[in-house]
Amino acid sequence: MNTTSIIALLHGPDQSGLVAKVSGWIFDRKSNIHHADQHKDQEANIFFQRVEWTPSGQIDEEAAAFEKFAHDELGMAVKVAKSTDRPKVALFVSKIDHCFHDTILRFRSGEMAGELACIISNHEALKADAEIYGIPFYHVPVNKDTKATAEARQLEIVHQHNTQLVVMARYMQVLSDEFLANAACPVINIHHSFLPAFAGGKPYHQAHTRGVKLIGATAHYATADLDEGPIIHQDVTRINHRNSVSDLIRKGKDLEKSVFAQAIRLHLDNRILVYHNKTVVFD
Amino acid sequence: MNTTSIIALLHGPDQSGLVAKVSGWIFDRKSNIHHADQHKDQEANIFFQRVEWTPSGQIDEEAAAFEKFAHDELGMAVKVAKSTDRPKVALFVSKIDHCFHDTILRFRSGEMAGELACIISNHEALKADAEIYGIPFYHVPVNKDTKATAEARQLEIVHQHNTQLVVMARYMQVLSDEFLANAACPVINIHHSFLPAFAGGKPYHQAHTRGVKLIGATAHYATADLDEGPIIHQDVTRINHRNSVSDLIRKGKDLEKSVFAQAIRLHLDNRILVYHNKTVVFD
Amino acid sequence: MNTTSIIALLHGPDQSGLVAKVSGWIFDRKSNIHHADQHKDQEANIFFQRVEWTPSGQIDEEAAAFEKFAHDELGMAVKVAKSTDRPKVALFVSKIDHCFHDTILRFRSGEMAGELACIISNHEALKADAEIYGIPFYHVPVNKDTKATAEARQLEIVHQHNTQLVVMARYMQVLSDEFLANAACPVINIHHSFLPAFAGGKPYHQAHTRGVKLIGATAHYATADLDEGPIIHQDVTRINHRNSVSDLIRKGKDLEKSVFAQAIRLHLDNRILVYHNKTVVFD
Amino acid sequence: MNTTSIIALLHGPDQSGLVAKVSGWIFDRKSNIHHADQHKDQEANIFFQRVEWTPSGQIDEEAAAFEKFAHDELGMAVKVAKSTDRPKVALFVSKIDHCFHDTILRFRSGEMAGELACIISNHEALKADAEIYGIPFYHVPVNKDTKATAEARQLEIVHQHNTQLVVMARYMQVLSDEFLANAACPVINIHHSFLPAFAGGKPYHQAHTRGVKLIGATAHYATADLDEGPIIHQDVTRINHRNSVSDLIRKGKDLEKSVFAQAIRLHLDNRILVYHNKTVVFD
């Protein structure tokens, strides 16, 4: 008997009986649903579903058959994965190291359903640490003039490692539309504010100047518009008048680490669907 | 076309194809599922489901047919309700008034899918306010010697109003096993601590003595064992060394109001299933 | 012996020995400090202090003497109050009633160190409730053409009641610069978003469209620039993709009530100093 | 001019004019107070103060003079430190590594005002990692029969490194009264529940069985009574019926890391006073 399960993420125009058709298809093949979660956006008339089951037949055949069924018969966009999949992840970093260490340690501890395949940085500051962790480190310097060349090199590395997810751990550089299009995989970024408040640079300084009583962090998919992509996860923490900008930075680090990690975990567990610049997160 | 929907809460021994059978039954009757949420307790092998749909046939017939199907063919314990149901609720109070006002105002604003049918109190302190709100108020004094008689009178009032839910807004008296058994409806209590910490009397004093850094509130179904019933909802708030017991009481009031209200709302929306002294809350 | 204490709020250019001078002055008059909290804005070089003590002499004389000392000898801006002061508060409301009831009930329960003197509304929706609570209700209709006249009438009422604080419980109208200048007292507003995110109208709709994962509320002093005044208190609550705009509105009500109440309480307890469009909150 | 400041923590029987006497002493020596925070426990009649100033004279002489003044003239228990102090810290670990890595990385990043001097473990699991971090690692196996000998060896190591603080990063062993007495320095422990709920072993299993809706973590000073010491910091996170014990453990790790780190930071910043099994935290 299989212990591996199939996870399918579906979405498309709502129609009558979708839950019955999906669960009926699985039941007819003598397979057992473990979890099924669905959502309808009533205004947009879109149906979303995450369903997880143990197939009784050969797993890759069953996965392919379901994909065909969902696409051809239900007219749904569909992604099918196996619970044992461990997609390759590329980690983009700069010189700031708190998300870097936190992310790597979480992958190493088995908390993440993926594999850190490579680290790409525009600085060499974290090279020695990356080597200790045993993860290939690529130094790709970037400046205004070399950005196109640098991104071409970054893409080369990303593709060479069969990367299925890029995560930007305070990388501090904007990735161009061309990069995002050619990477051909999702890119998750962590922004150090409660977006849409304090988009752009130096958000902790902005927060300090405005005198807010809470600071936040936002993990989102990167899009062509900086800080405007679909939000995956957010959290905040309380601050007060005694806190300097450096206190905000210190407190914010803990937020950034946990919000970023949560977003990566949700993505790798196939719990996120994106539409209309928003996310459905089946947590 | 119906605008009222049917909500069913099911639970029972897990078996293959339950999701398919339930959704198939609904689909076969040309009805449309709005929401379906399910959960399996893997250890206990129990299946739980909340499903909401608009029937295409006559609603009471469809509801009755589903109840029979779920019980007879699936072997499930089942509760079926309509989205337009407004069950009668009895409010037990003492002299403390913050949960009293908060609860009544929420019912009056339409936030709760129920109707406050009567108020029962062992004191007359809130009688005048109850009359202004236009809700029948019953003064039933209780002391050690008259407890049995008092509870008999309370039960009489509860039954006379066809009460389907009793909510204890800081009533400060323990209801006996006999009362709970004969009330024949769920009873929700609010306890002013983060249970199981500080069960019993004077929890804010206990919290102050122990020097905790957070205080909490817990809404739970009342059972024979005081403060031991299934927990529905909990929340906490931060305190510090400057806070006296009276500060804790003030801060706690806000917690008690919101936790109590949330629990009543979840119950009236048919989102809670109870088993093994725990709750499944389909929120 | 006095049981009433004096509370002083000081701020001004930092100078050596301020803490010693203030506490020395109090000690020399054989009086006992209960609480003293101070803060320095290092960048702006401004000193802030809240100090509370029981005078051994006649309380009004001591209060006046301290005010003179702080102003003349220390060069500080100073506000002196007594712990028994109960300043008059004017409540501005529209048709939305959750903050209205919540605020009145908190004043009535003794949670606030002030007295609700009058209610001013541009609608008659809450008139009957105001009368039950026994608080004078003034209906002052406002439209684009009558705004100046309406504000003149509002000011008249505010002054007639010797109002020392105006609180806007979802009043939904912008008060003009002229009103704010002539009211001659602070005005606290509750905005239903985590400012500076979603300033302006319909913030819950904006939040829903942007797909944020937390919604918030912000209490701030009203200034000429809408939603730009000094922030007093903020809080947030978690939402998810299942929540419609009406769910956001329901969840937001609880935030608005508690954030608004907390801001009013802090103000009436003389715990807030304002400078550079920010607040120092000695909580 | 000095850039280093002196930090004093005082507590003792309340008396008239303490704030004036302390600030007057500092002012008389032409020194400038940066922060001063005080608290009175009204019931116990105890005065607490944390005061930080830049001395104009030679810093060690000034520190010694203040200590003498506070003790001899004010009758206070006093601890005096310099802002540049970096006390030696001993880290006790077992096989669980999340608090281990988190703590070390925080010390390494400069977030903590102390120095990790040594790691003591009853297992060899984290030896290789400790060596990579460049921190002396001591393997001291412990079992029921060898506990006394093992603790003697641990004390030897602790003293050899001039340890001024011991922190237990999920060490999972109880330290005896003798150890605590002879260590002659504070010991901070992290417990994986919201104490006093779920004291003792396997708190996440206890929480799962009881069906609570929030799990927590508590950092406290270790005392002879397990899980009964003065609480320094606590936090909680929300869970639901879908979470298995292993989900609780995963979610709890993030709580444990941040609560433990916060407690260590507060201690090393000289912000904590202990009395009557409670803490005053000047944050």
Side-chain angles (χ1 to χ4, degrees):
Chain A
M1 196 197 118
N2 278 310
T3 53
T4 305
S5 56
I6 296 174
I7 300 154
L9 282 172
L10 304 154
H11 74 290
D14 190 28
Q15 54 185 268
S16 200
L18 280 171
V19 175
K21 286 171 187 168
V22 167
S23 55
W25 187 93
I26 294 168
F27 182 53
D28 287 348
R29 297 170 87 100
K30 298 181 182 12
S31 304
N32 197 19
I33 292 180
H34 298 304
H35 304 289
D37 205 346
Q38 45 275 326
H39 172 64
K40 267 183 221 178
D41 184 312
Q42 304 283 0
E43 287 166 54
N45 204 40
I46 304 178
F47 174 86
F48 302 87
Q49 189 175 40
R50 180 185 190 274
V51 57
E52 184 168 355
W53 73 96
T54 306
S56 56
Q58 199 281 331
I59 193 161
D60 290 310
E61 287 171 15
E62 293 297 306
F66 183 84
E67 195 166 352
K68 194 172 155 54
F69 161 73
H71 185 271
D72 296 358
E73 295 189 36
L74 305 181
M76 294 275 133
V78 59
K79 179 188 173 190
V80 179
K82 289 184 287 181
S83 60
T84 48
D85 288 345
R86 291 293 175 271
K88 301 281 193 286
V89 178
L91 177 66
F92 277 53
V93 296
S94 182
K95 287 188 279 194
I96 298 166
D97 71 351
H98 58 284
C99 285
F100 165 84
H101 287 297
D102 190 74
T103 305
I104 294 173
L105 288 166
R106 287 177 194 266
F107 271 87
R108 209 170 75 164
S109 75
E111 186 179 323
M112 300 290 186
E115 184 193 330
L116 267 190
C118 61
I119 296 166
I120 297 175
S121 181
N122 53 340
H123 292 283
E124 295 197 283
L126 301 175
K127 187 178 180 182
D129 282 323
E131 282 167 1
I132 286 170
Y133 286 122
I135 304 169
F137 179 93
Y138 299 89
H139 178 219
V140 184
V142 182
N143 65 44
K144 235 186 346 186
D145 299 330
T146 64
K147 179 146 181 164
T149 324
E151 286 198 343
R153 175 65 187 128
Q154 289 169 341
L155 277 173
E156 201 174 59
I157 300 162
V158 161
H159 291 144
Q160 168 195 335
H161 285 280
N162 299 313
T163 303
Q164 288 170 267
L165 175 69
V166 170
V167 299
M168 300 166 72
R170 301 291 314 276
Y171 174 57
M172 313 302 280
Q173 300 281 324
V174 182
L175 298 175
S176 73
D177 292 13
E178 290 68 33
F179 180 92
L180 293 172
N182 290 313
C185 74
V187 176
I188 293 176
N189 184 42
I190 177 75
H191 183 79
H192 39 317
S193 85
F194 177 77
L195 288 174
F198 313 129
K202 294 196 173 287
Y204 293 128
H205 290 77
Q206 293 184 56
H208 190 255
T209 301
R210 181 63 186 91
V212 290
K213 302 300 186 187
L214 299 167
I215 54 167
T218 302
H220 63 93
Y221 288 113
T223 56
D225 291 320
L226 182 63
D227 302 333
E228 293 291 330
I231 292 170
I232 302 169
H233 190 56
Q234 302 188 289
D235 206 356
V236 297
T237 199
R238 198 158 290 282
I239 57 170
N240 64 39
H241 62 271
R242 297 191 194 284
N243 297 130
S244 62
V245 170
S246 63
D247 292 324
L248 268 49
I249 291 171
R250 175 179 56 74
K251 286 188 165 191
K253 282 179 180 179
D254 278 359
L255 278 179
E256 294 164 34
K257 288 188 292 189
S258 72
V259 169
F260 189 50
Q262 178 83 333
I264 298 171
R265 195 179 60 77
L266 290 166
H267 179 89
L268 291 173
D269 286 350
N270 296 295
R271 296 187 174 278
I272 312 178
L273 280 158
V274 176
Y275 79 113
H276 295 188
N277 207 41
K278 301 206 279 192
T279 58
V280 169
V281 179
F282 289 125
D283 192 12
Chain B
M1 196 199 115
N2 278 310
T3 53
T4 304
S5 56
I6 297 173
I7 299 153
L9 282 173
L10 304 154
H11 73 291
D14 191 29
Q15 55 185 268
S16 201
L18 280 171
V19 175
K21 286 172 186 167
V22 168
S23 55
W25 187 93
I26 295 168
F27 183 53
D28 287 348
R29 298 171 87 102
K30 300 182 180 10
S31 305
N32 197 19
I33 292 179
H34 298 304
H35 303 289
D37 206 345
Q38 47 276 326
H39 172 63
K40 266 184 220 177
D41 184 313
Q42 305 283 359
E43 285 166 56
N45 203 40
I46 303 178
F47 174 87
F48 303 87
Q49 188 174 41
R50 182 187 188 273
V51 58
E52 183 168 356
W53 72 96
T54 307
S56 56
Q58 200 280 331
I59 192 160
D60 289 312
E61 286 170 17
E62 293 298 307
F66 184 83
E67 195 166 352
K68 194 171 155 53
F69 160 73
H71 184 270
D72 295 359
E73 296 188 36
L74 304 181
M76 294 275 133
V78 59
K79 179 188 174 189
V80 179
K82 289 185 286 182
S83 60
T84 47
D85 288 345
R86 290 296 174 269
K88 302 280 193 285
V89 178
L91 178 65
F92 277 52
V93 296
S94 181
K95 288 188 277 195
I96 298 167
D97 72 351
H98 59 283
C99 285
F100 165 84
H101 287 296
D102 191 74
T103 304
I104 294 173
L105 288 166
R106 287 176 193 267
F107 271 88
R108 209 170 75 164
S109 75
E111 186 180 321
M112 298 290 185
E115 185 193 328
L116 266 189
C118 62
I119 295 166
I120 297 176
S121 182
N122 53 339
H123 292 282
E124 295 197 283
L126 301 175
K127 187 178 180 182
D129 282 323
E131 281 166 2
I132 286 170
Y133 286 122
I135 304 170
F137 180 93
Y138 299 89
H139 177 218
V140 184
V142 182
N143 64 44
K144 237 185 342 182
D145 299 330
T146 64
K147 179 145 182 166
T149 324
E151 287 200 341
R153 174 66 187 129
Q154 290 169 340
L155 277 174
E156 201 174 61
I157 301 161
V158 161
H159 291 145
Q160 167 195 337
H161 285 281
N162 298 314
T163 303
Q164 289 170 266
L165 176 68
V166 170
V167 299
M168 298 166 73
R170 301 291 313 275
Y171 173 57
M172 312 302 279
Q173 300 281 326
V174 182
L175 297 174
S176 72
D177 291 12
E178 289 69 34
F179 180 93
L180 293 172
N182 290 315
C185 74
V187 177
I188 294 177
N189 184 42
I190 178 74
H191 183 81
H192 40 317
S193 85
F194 176 76
L195 288 174
F198 311 128
K202 295 198 170 287
Y204 293 128
H205 290 78
Q206 292 184 54
H208 190 256
T209 300
R210 182 61 187 93
V212 289
K213 302 301 184 185
L214 300 166
I215 54 167
T218 302
H220 63 92
Y221 288 113
T223 55
D225 290 319
L226 181 64
D227 302 332
E228 292 291 330
I231 293 170
I232 302 169
H233 190 55
Q234 300 187 290
D235 206 356
V236 296
T237 199
R238 197 160 289 283
I239 57 168
N240 64 40
H241 60 271
R242 297 190 194 284
N243 298 132
S244 62
V245 170
S246 62
D247 293 323
L248 269 48
I249 290 171
R250 175 180 55 74
K251 287 188 164 191
K253 281 180 180 178
D254 279 359
L255 278 179
E256 294 164 35
K257 288 188 293 188
S258 70
V259 168
F260 189 49
Q262 177 83 335
I264 297 171
R265 195 180 61 74
L266 290 166
H267 180 90
L268 291 173
D269 286 350
N270 296 296
R271 296 185 174 280
I272 311 177
L273 280 159
V274 176
Y275 79 114
H276 294 188
N277 207 42
K278 302 206 281 191
T279 58
V280 168
V281 179
F282 288 124
D283 192 11
Chain C
M1 198 195 115
N2 277 311
T3 53
T4 306
S5 56
I6 297 174
I7 299 154
L9 283 172
L10 304 155
H11 74 292
D14 191 27
Q15 54 185 269
S16 202
L18 280 170
V19 175
K21 286 172 187 166
V22 167
S23 54
W25 188 93
I26 294 168
F27 182 52
D28 286 348
R29 296 172 87 100
K30 300 182 180 13
S31 304
N32 197 20
I33 293 179
H34 298 304
H35 304 288
D37 207 345
Q38 46 276 324
H39 172 64
K40 268 184 219 176
D41 185 312
Q42 305 283 359
E43 286 167 57
N45 203 39
I46 304 177
F47 174 87
F48 303 87
Q49 189 175 40
R50 181 186 190 273
V51 57
E52 184 168 354
W53 72 98
T54 307
S56 55
Q58 200 281 332
I59 193 158
D60 289 312
E61 286 169 19
E62 293 297 306
F66 184 83
E67 194 166 352
K68 194 171 155 52
F69 161 73
H71 184 270
D72 295 358
E73 295 188 38
L74 305 182
M76 295 274 133
V78 58
K79 180 189 174 190
V80 179
K82 288 184 287 182
S83 61
T84 48
D85 289 345
R86 290 293 174 272
K88 301 280 193 285
V89 179
L91 177 66
F92 277 54
V93 296
S94 183
K95 287 189 278 193
I96 298 167
D97 71 352
H98 59 284
C99 285
F100 165 83
H101 287 297
D102 190 73
T103 305
I104 294 173
L105 287 167
R106 287 177 194 267
F107 271 88
R108 208 170 76 164
S109 75
E111 185 179 321
M112 299 292 186
E115 185 193 328
L116 267 189
C118 61
I119 296 167
I120 297 176
S121 181
N122 54 339
H123 292 282
E124 295 197 284
L126 301 175
K127 187 179 181 182
D129 282 322
E131 282 166 2
I132 286 170
Y133 286 123
I135 303 169
F137 180 94
Y138 299 89
H139 178 219
V140 184
V142 182
N143 65 44
K144 239 187 341 187
D145 299 329
T146 64
K147 178 146 183 166
T149 323
E151 286 198 343
R153 175 67 187 127
Q154 290 169 341
L155 277 174
E156 201 174 60
I157 301 162
V158 161
H159 291 146
Q160 167 194 335
H161 284 281
N162 300 314
T163 302
Q164 289 170 265
L165 176 68
V166 170
V167 299
M168 300 167 71
R170 300 291 313 276
Y171 175 57
M172 313 302 279
Q173 300 281 326
V174 181
L175 298 175
S176 72
D177 292 11
E178 289 69 32
F179 180 92
L180 293 173
N182 290 313
C185 74
V187 177
I188 294 176
N189 184 42
I190 179 75
H191 183 81
H192 40 316
S193 85
F194 177 76
L195 289 175
F198 312 128
K202 293 197 173 288
Y204 293 127
H205 291 78
Q206 291 183 57
H208 190 255
T209 301
R210 181 62 186 91
V212 288
K213 301 301 185 186
L214 299 167
I215 54 167
T218 302
H220 62 94
Y221 287 113
T223 56
D225 290 319
L226 182 64
D227 301 335
E228 292 292 329
I231 293 170
I232 302 168
H233 190 56
Q234 303 188 289
D235 206 357
V236 297
T237 198
R238 199 159 288 282
I239 57 169
N240 63 39
H241 62 270
R242 296 191 194 283
N243 296 131
S244 62
V245 170
S246 62
D247 293 324
L248 269 48
I249 290 171
R250 175 179 55 74
K251 287 188 166 193
K253 282 181 180 177
D254 279 358
L255 277 179
E256 295 164 35
K257 289 188 292 189
S258 71
V259 169
F260 189 48
Q262 177 84 334
I264 297 172
R265 195 179 61 76
L266 290 167
H267 180 88
L268 291 173
D269 287 349
N270 296 295
R271 296 185 175 280
I272 312 178
L273 280 159
V274 176
Y275 79 113
H276 294 188
N277 207 42
K278 301 206 280 191
T279 58
V280 168
V281 179
F282 288 124
D283 192 12
Chain D
M1 195 198 116
N2 278 311
T3 52
T4 304
S5 56
I6 297 174
I7 300 153
L9 283 172
L10 304 154
H11 73 292
D14 191 28
Q15 55 185 269
S16 201
L18 281 171
V19 174
K21 286 171 187 168
V22 168
S23 55
W25 187 94
I26 295 168
F27 183 52
D28 287 346
R29 297 171 86 100
K30 300 182 179 11
S31 304
N32 197 19
I33 293 180
H34 298 304
H35 303 289
D37 206 346
Q38 47 275 327
H39 172 63
K40 267 183 220 176
D41 185 313
Q42 304 284 0
E43 285 167 57
N45 203 41
I46 304 178
F47 174 86
F48 303 87
Q49 189 176 38
R50 182 186 188 274
V51 57
E52 184 168 355
W53 74 96
T54 308
S56 56
Q58 200 280 332
I59 193 159
D60 289 311
E61 286 169 18
E62 293 296 307
F66 183 83
E67 196 167 350
K68 195 171 152 54
F69 161 74
H71 184 270
D72 295 358
E73 296 189 36
L74 304 182
M76 293 274 133
V78 59
K79 180 189 173 188
V80 179
K82 289 185 286 181
S83 60
T84 47
D85 288 345
R86 291 294 174 271
K88 302 279 192 285
V89 178
L91 178 65
F92 277 53
V93 296
S94 182
K95 287 188 277 192
I96 298 167
D97 72 351
H98 59 284
C99 286
F100 164 85
H101 287 297
D102 190 73
T103 304
I104 294 172
L105 287 166
R106 288 177 194 267
F107 271 87
R108 209 169 76 165
S109 75
E111 185 179 323
M112 298 292 184
E115 185 193 328
L116 266 189
C118 62
I119 295 166
I120 297 175
S121 180
N122 54 338
H123 292 282
E124 296 197 283
L126 301 175
K127 187 180 181 180
D129 282 323
E131 281 167 1
I132 285 170
Y133 286 123
I135 303 170
F137 180 93
Y138 299 89
H139 178 218
V140 183
V142 182
N143 65 44
K144 236 187 339 186
D145 299 330
T146 64
K147 180 145 183 167
T149 324
E151 286 199 342
R153 174 67 187 128
Q154 290 169 340
L155 277 174
E156 199 174 60
I157 300 163
V158 161
H159 291 146
Q160 168 194 336
H161 284 281
N162 299 314
T163 302
Q164 290 170 264
L165 176 68
V166 169
V167 299
M168 300 166 72
R170 302 291 314 275
Y171 174 56
M172 312 303 279
Q173 300 281 325
V174 182
L175 297 175
S176 72
D177 292 12
E178 288 70 34
F179 181 93
L180 293 172
N182 290 313
C185 75
V187 176
I188 294 177
N189 183 43
I190 178 75
H191 183 81
H192 40 318
S193 86
F194 177 75
L195 288 175
F198 311 129
K202 295 196 171 288
Y204 292 129
H205 291 78
Q206 292 183 54
H208 190 256
T209 301
R210 181 62 186 92
V212 290
K213 301 300 185 187
L214 300 166
I215 54 166
T218 302
H220 63 93
Y221 288 113
T223 55
D225 289 321
L226 182 64
D227 301 334
E228 292 291 332
I231 292 169
I232 302 169
H233 190 56
Q234 301 187 288
D235 206 357
V236 297
T237 199
R238 199 161 286 283
I239 57 169
N240 63 39
H241 62 271
R242 295 189 195 286
N243 297 131
S244 62
V245 170
S246 63
D247 293 323
L248 269 48
I249 290 171
R250 175 180 55 73
K251 288 188 165 192
K253 281 180 180 178
D254 279 0
L255 278 180
E256 295 163 35
K257 287 188 293 189
S258 71
V259 169
F260 189 49
Q262 178 83 334
I264 297 172
R265 196 180 60 75
L266 290 167
H267 180 90
L268 291 173
D269 287 349
N270 296 295
R271 296 185 175 280
I272 311 178
L273 280 160
V274 176
Y275 78 113
H276 294 189
N277 207 42
K278 301 206 280 191
T279 59
V280 169
V281 179
F282 288 124
D283 192 12

